[in-house]
Amino acid sequence: MVAPAVSPDSAPDPSTESTAAPESTARSATPEERAPRWHVLVRLLVAAAAGVLLYLSGPPRVLWWLALIAFAVLGWMIRDRRARAGFGYSLCFGLGYLVPLLAWTGEFVGLVAWLPLAFAEALLVALSGAAISVVSVLRGWPVWAALLWVAGEALRSVFPFGGFPWGNIAFTQPEGVYLPLAAVAGTPLIAFAVTLTGFGLTALVRRLTHGERTARRLLTPVLAVLLPVAAAFGALPLVGTDANDGEATVALVQGNVPRAGLDFNAQRRAVLDNHVDRTVRLAEDVAAGREQQPDLVIWPENSSDIDPFRNPDARAGIDRAATAIGAPIAVGSVLVGDDGLPRNAILLWDPDRGPVSQYTKRQLQPFGETMPWRPFFRLFTSAVDRAGRFVPGDEPTVFDMGGDTGRARVGLATCYEVAFDGVVRESVEGANLLAVPTNNATFGYTEMTYQQLAMDRVRAVEHGREVAVAATSGVSAFVRPDGSISQRTGLFTDAALVERVPLRSTTTLSDRLGSSPEWVLTILGLGALAAAVVVRRRRAST
């Protein structure tokens, strides 16, 4: 990272400059302006280290509280700075967070995806940081700063490349005290609570170190730290786990792949055979009384990359598995349309009637299923042509898959889709169980699968549903409606999980509110930004 030509600290904030002397009077350099250049480099490194702390707060580690420290440090770095200083420090913070977080994206098309994507996302984080620096002149600035962080996440959820919300703060918190807030207003409220606590810590420490230790001066930062935590505990009664729409016995089949890595797609037949064979073995266990008879079975995304409508052998294999287990199977398949282009689909396969319904993935993964700006990126590497040319679906689908004491109506969010608030919200409408078929084999032993499982846990609480995660090579899991995991598999092993799960039709407050909390928080943050700009200009003109 090259230090800017003008130090972020070298230009004092207009809100902190003395206005006692006339403009024509020369002023002495401030201590910050006299500071050696290496001080700036240290600050940049500290900001990047805070971003690394935010990365370390997420899965597979159980260090959720590091996120609070990360935002406290960021707040310390950009409080009372000019916008460009806030931009520079926040850019380093974003890089410290996103470069390691998104390392898995490089497994498929190399550095051309990983580093540009991380840098683009970090630039958007830097915009939020610049805005936060501006509003830090306002009273109660931790509130406005947290609102602007939510506004930044809203932007990153739609831009670039159709949005990339993978780094949303809520997904670092499946083990944290803030998780129940998902049932109130989804991921934006968790982000607001975490950042408000962190920035509140900044304000509290600043006042203590400046000798402002009266109850009146400490009240606001103390409330900023404690109220989000209190709200999270207050939301606990809204997290339901009861089976208010019956129960169903669900099987997750993880057939595994012959080898990890980029040649996964060359192993299509072996992957399909693995899932057929593992389902048949499960049927044998059921017949021997070693396992419960499932009411429905979930196979992973890409479990049949061979189109069963075009390949009789693939169709016969799936038929054999469904007949053996005696239950409908949700089969992840790649279908080829009349235009010759592939669709990432989930087929509802009935043991008697064969395929009876279909869901086509709507939110496709850039740099994997699609390649944004393909001609441009091809200038740097031919690896871009490893990415697919998939065609997205256009509507959610709920599978009616039977059940024991109730009918399982299964909503579907395929792999990458689980990161998107709106896509999952649409998927659970009319569903009493959420299935997440996923394929992480391409990404090997990276942290991608654990990051995605954290999202599944947040979605379980947000929508009050059991989440059944079926992965080709792991991690497959049953996630309870309170976000806890009842069963899970390891990576790159074949397995079958069977569990009696609750079916729930309760609509959470988060579902009823929809996207409105994010809009309200964003508008409030932008309003505060506009007010802060006016305040700064008035101070600068006096």
Side-chain angles (χ1 to χ4, degrees):
M1 176 61 63
V2 179
V6 178
S7 161
D9 297 330
S10 65
D13 190 326
S15 65
T16 60
E17 290 187 53
S18 171
T19 58
E23 290 183 2
S24 59
T25 302
R27 63 175 177 82
S28 300
T30 66
E32 288 182 343
E33 290 174 317
R34 293 195 300 267
R37 301 290 286 179
W38 66 266
H39 281 197
V40 179
L41 177 60
V42 169
R43 287 181 174 275
L44 293 172
L45 291 175
V46 169
V52 174
L53 283 182
L54 183 57
Y55 159 70
L56 293 175
S57 72
R61 295 157 295 277
V62 188
L63 301 171
W64 58 272
W65 46 271
L66 285 179
L68 310 180
I69 300 174
F71 281 105
V73 174
L74 177 65
W76 189 277
M77 302 301 299
I78 64 179
R79 170 78 163 93
D80 285 338
R81 307 283 182 192
R82 284 188 170 182
R84 64 181 178 185
F87 183 93
Y89 290 133
S90 299
L91 177 62
C92 292
F93 177 83
L95 289 171
Y97 175 43
L98 292 160
V99 169
L101 182 80
L102 303 180
W104 56 269
T105 61
E107 291 289 311
F108 196 65
V109 291
L111 295 179
V112 71
W114 172 25
L115 296 183
L117 178 60
F119 185 73
E121 292 291 298
L123 284 175
L124 297 179
V125 170
L127 288 178
S128 296
I132 290 170
S133 293
V134 173
V135 300
S136 66
V137 301
L138 301 177
R139 290 184 178 180
W141 73 269
V143 175
W144 316 123
L147 290 171
L148 284 170
W149 185 272
V150 173
E153 288 198 350
L155 175 62
R156 297 198 299 276
S157 294
V158 296
F159 176 85
F161 314 131
F164 194 77
W166 201 270
N168 283 4
I169 300 306
F171 302 142
T172 68
Q173 298 297 305
E175 299 282 353
V177 298
Y178 302 96
L179 183 60
L181 294 174
V184 179
T187 61
L189 186 57
I190 295 179
F192 176 74
V194 171
T195 52
L196 178 57
T197 304
F199 292 137
L201 285 171
T202 302
L204 180 60
V205 172
R206 284 176 66 92
R207 291 196 176 178
L208 290 174
T209 55
H210 285 77
E212 302 177 26
R213 302 185 181 185
T214 65
R216 185 177 65 86
R217 295 295 292 164
L218 295 178
L219 179 61
T220 299
V222 167
L223 289 177
V225 172
L226 296 183
L227 282 182
V229 178
F233 281 102
L236 281 171
L238 299 179
V239 180
T241 58
D242 58 307
N244 58 28
D245 205 19
E247 294 181 322
T249 302
V250 180
L252 306 176
V253 173
Q254 177 177 306
N256 203 13
V257 297
R259 293 176 302 281
L262 295 177
D263 61 345
F264 164 77
N265 288 331
Q267 309 169 43
R268 297 175 181 178
R269 185 66 209 211
V271 172
L272 172 57
D273 289 344
N274 284 355
H275 285 84
V276 170
D277 293 344
R278 191 63 187 85
T279 305
V280 171
R281 285 161 50 200
L282 174 61
E284 293 170 351
D285 289 339
V286 170
R290 292 186 293 268
E291 279 289 5
Q292 304 174 70
Q293 168 63 47
D295 299 308
L296 58 130
V297 180
I298 309 294
W299 279 11
E301 177 189 32
N302 302 131
S303 48
S304 176
D305 264 7
I306 303 173
D307 187 341
F309 294 113
R310 294 171 177 260
N311 188 295
D313 288 344
R315 184 179 186 120
I318 300 171
D319 273 334
R320 181 165 69 92
T323 300
I325 199 63
I329 304 177
V331 178
S333 186
V334 173
L335 308 180
V336 179
D338 294 336
D339 54 6
L341 295 176
R343 274 80 171 161
N344 191 339
I346 307 295
L347 300 174
L348 174 53
W349 206 283
D350 185 86
D352 300 318
R353 297 176 291 161
V356 294
S357 187
Q358 174 182 327
Y359 169 68
T360 302
K361 188 176 182 180
R362 292 170 288 154
Q363 191 76 42
L364 300 178
Q365 180 191 328
F367 305 102
E369 292 163 316
T370 63
M371 186 68 207
W373 304 350
R374 190 184 297 264
F376 171 75
F377 284 116
R378 192 183 287 119
L379 296 174
F380 304 97
T381 175
S382 61
V384 298
D385 290 319
R386 293 177 177 175
R389 299 177 183 270
F390 280 76
V391 177
D394 55 11
E395 61 182 7
T397 303
V398 174
F399 286 173
D400 186 341
M401 298 188 71
D404 186 2
T405 61
R407 298 294 297 178
R409 300 184 302 278
V410 182
L412 298 156
T414 307
C415 194
Y416 178 65
E417 291 184 318
V418 78
F420 290 82
D421 294 354
V423 173
V424 182
R425 190 181 303 118
E426 293 173 352
S427 296
V428 299
E429 187 174 348
N432 53 20
L433 174 68
L434 178 63
V436 182
T438 183
N439 168 32
N440 304 330
T442 298
F443 304 109
Y445 289 90
T446 67
E447 293 183 358
M448 184 269 194
T449 190
Y450 303 106
Q451 294 168 7
Q452 189 182 82
L453 185 59
M455 300 175 195
D456 300 323
R457 298 177 66 182
V458 173
R459 299 308 182 192
V461 176
E462 181 180 5
H463 303 290
R465 298 292 186 272
E466 178 89 14
V467 179
V469 184
T472 49
S473 58
V475 172
S476 301
F478 283 108
V479 181
R480 297 188 181 101
D482 63 1
S484 61
I485 296 174
S486 57
Q487 291 191 68
R488 64 187 294 174
T489 66
L491 282 174
F492 294 99
T493 182
D494 68 275
L497 304 179
V498 181
E499 186 163 314
R500 190 176 180 85
V501 304
L503 304 177
R504 306 190 77 250
S505 58
T506 301
T507 301
T508 63
L509 180 57
S510 177
D511 282 327
R512 290 195 292 271
L513 293 174
S515 61
S516 57
E518 184 174 57
W519 280 103
V520 170
L521 295 174
T522 297
I523 291 170
L524 288 174
L526 294 177
L529 178 61
V533 170
V534 172
V535 169
R536 281 178 176 262
R537 286 180 176 176
R538 285 178 178 174
R539 291 183 179 180
S541 64
T542 58

